[in-house]
Each structure stands twice: as structure tokens, then as C-alpha cells.
Amino acid sequence: MKIGFIGLGLMGRPMAAHLIDAGHELFVNRVKPVSEFLVEKGATACDTPKAVAEAAEIIITIVPDTPDVDAVLFGENGVADGLSEGKMVIDMSSISPVETKAFAEKIAAKGCGYLDAPVSGGEVGAKNAALTIMVGGSDADFARGKPLFEVMGKTITHVGPVGDGQTAKVANQIIVGLTIQAVAEGLLFAKKAGADPAKVREALMGGFAGSTIMKVHGERMIERTFDPGFRIRLHRKDMALAVNAARDIGLALPNAAATEQLMNAAIARGDGDKDHSALIRTLEALAGL
């Protein structure tokens, strides 16, 4: 198919590359030196999101935040200006479920389909085409988009109507954020108490405390390898989505709120662009280490 792909960041670049490798014709926007290899692989560079939408049947976006999706879709020379009836937009960003529904209504008014399909799995999952993809939208639109999802991900779930994919992603980010904080606190406790945190982690991996986060992020905390798979700054954005949405529906999420504040502190300390496993650095600072 002719696919538009907007958002050639840490996640987007390998996702776009998989689509090219699968034989799809890609049209991309804002090509920088780090993403020039996609053009060398056969992608066509377009000057504007509008031009991408004019050339493609399905337009995929994966950008940092809700205002970024709004700008790409509905800003000057945005995707919406280049749409014609029968095309489809797939937003794979992690953004507000409420705004997602509003965006979908505007796209539907042009006679086009819309799926919200945020992802989990980080840069490693994107590179290995092993992402978890949570999809909101109609059955027909999901069936149309599924072959593309299968190129980029491993676990693909049609959660429900538009907005439900984003709701699932917010839930995912709550659980991941709180678990990273729990692993960091556990390993910090071990260190402060005089035990070897690497040995403690090894012991815990065999019990109920064992998890993917204990395995992957726990190792990063011990090895001090904080190059971003997923930046604290972006995870804080997702935690803010959770806390704000909870307030709107009258729900208390005390631990999500506390983790958001810890991430705020990490950003204030200059760690915003480090991997979210670097939250342990802020906890260490609180402990005087």
C-alpha cells in the first residue's frame, strides 16, 4: 500500500523501516540526517503533512504529545487538508483519549477512517518489530489496519471503539511507571542496607517480584546504562495524562500522582532525556547517595 508516515523519532524510524521492508511505498515528512536512510531505502520525502496525505492511502502518525498530533493533523498544510474520502489516519502516538475522540470526529467528517493505536515496547520493541499495539476504532478500520500492525508489532489487540486504545496505553503507563519506581526503591533499599543490589535482583527474579521491568530496567539501574529506550520526559507526559483523566472522572490514583511528581523531580535534576529507569537517580539523591 501507499503509506504516509509522520514522526521519524526513536520509535518511528524503525517502524517505518519495517513497513518499507514489507514492500509498502512510504511517504515521509521532516526527514533529518538520522532518518535519511529511509529515503535511501525507497521512501519519498514530502514537504508537508498535507503532501503526505495526498500521496498516501493510509497515514500513520507517531509524535510526542496531544498538541503535536493536533498540529500535524489540523495545522496549516496538515494531514486533514490532504485527505480525500476513503483514506484512513492511524495515530500511534500516546495522547489524550478525550482529544483522540475529537480528532476522530473531524477526520470522519471528511469521509475517512481513524484508528488510535498507541504502542508499548520501547525502542527495542520497535527495532525488533515486537511492539504491543493497543487499537481503538471500528471493526472495519481495524481489519484494514491490522496487516500494517502485524509488520510492526507482535501483540495486537482491538480494545474497542475510538479512544479505547489510548485508554489502554494510559493504563499501561501507570503500571510501568509504578513498577519502575518499585524496582528502583527495592534495589535502593538493598544498597543502603549494605547488600549487593545485583545479587538481590538475581534472587528476586525467581519469585513474585520477578518481571520484565525487574529484568530489563533493574539491569539498567545496576549497570548505570540510562541511554533512552523511553525518556523520562515522555513517560511523565503519560503519567500526567493518567492523573488528569482520573481527576476528570472522579478517580483517585494516589500512587500514579506520586510517580508523576518523582518524574517531575527527575526532569528538574536534568534527567528528562534519560531512560525512565534513571528514576533511581532521583531516589538516590533523596537518600543522600
Side-chain angles (χ1 to χ4, degrees):
M1 290 187 285
K2 294 183 176 181
I3 307 297
F5 201 103
I6 299 173
L8 303 178
L10 201 63
M11 301 284 289
R13 290 192 297 272
M15 293 165 68
H18 291 316
L19 291 169
I20 295 172
D21 291 340
H24 298 292
E25 185 178 357
L26 247 66
F27 300 86
V28 296
N29 178 236
R30 295 190 66 189
V31 176
K32 298 179 180 179
V34 72
S35 50
E36 187 67 37
F37 76 97
L38 293 169
V39 176
E40 295 170 359
K41 286 172 71 70
T44 300
C46 300
D47 292 336
T48 64
K50 175 184 177 182
V52 170
E54 288 173 338
E57 307 165 50
I58 296 176
I59 301 90
I60 296 172
T61 57
I62 180 164
V63 293
D65 205 349
T66 306
D68 301 303
V69 177
D70 193 3
V72 166
L73 294 182
F74 306 112
E76 185 178 359
N77 289 316
V79 167
D81 292 335
L83 291 176
S84 55
E85 188 171 354
K87 295 189 176 186
M88 183 164 73
V89 172
I90 302 176
D91 180 37
M92 304 188 77
S93 317
S94 295
I95 66 168
S96 163
V98 174
E99 292 301 313
T100 289
K101 294 175 184 179
F103 296 161
E105 288 179 4
K106 292 180 182 180
I107 298 300
K110 291 182 169 288
C112 299
Y114 191 100
L115 294 173
D116 57 295
V119 302
S120 179
E123 183 185 12
V124 172
K127 287 182 174 179
N128 294 333
L131 292 168
T132 293
I133 306 176
M134 298 152 266
V135 189
S138 71
D139 290 341
D141 287 342
F142 175 70
R144 188 178 177 189
K146 188 177 180 183
L148 302 181
F149 298 144
E150 289 173 339
V151 171
M152 298 180 282
K154 182 178 291 184
T155 303
I156 299 141
T157 305
H158 185 198
V159 183
V162 166
D164 281 5
Q166 296 295 352
T167 296
K169 179 58 187 291
V170 170
N172 179 86
Q173 296 303 78
I174 292 170
I175 294 167
V176 171
L178 268 61
T179 307
I180 288 176
Q181 180 172 342
V183 169
E185 290 188 8
L187 295 181
L188 177 59
F189 171 79
K191 181 178 180 179
K192 188 75 171 180
D196 180 348
K199 290 294 185 181
V200 170
R201 172 181 166 274
E202 181 181 342
L204 297 180
M205 281 299 298
F208 278 178
S211 66
T212 300
I213 288 174
M214 177 69 80
K215 178 181 178 182
V216 176
H217 294 80
E219 182 177 31
R220 289 174 181 170
M221 293 172 191
I222 290 166
E223 299 295 332
R224 317 302 288 182
T225 52
F226 299 130
D227 291 339
F230 189 64
R231 289 178 171 85
I232 290 175
R233 189 181 310 282
L234 291 177
H235 201 155
R236 189 277 304 270
K237 176 262 298 182
D238 293 340
M239 297 305 292
L241 286 175
V243 172
N244 292 338
R247 182 177 60 247
D248 291 342
I249 61 176
L251 175 66
L253 294 178
N255 292 315
T259 300
E260 181 197 6
Q261 290 302 314
L262 183 66
M263 291 177 176
N264 285 339
I267 291 168
R269 295 185 67 250
D271 284 352
D273 289 322
K274 289 184 169 60
D275 185 77
H276 46 182
S277 58
L279 278 180
I280 195 170
R281 286 166 44 89
T282 300
L283 289 168
E284 288 168 344
L286 290 172
L289 296 178

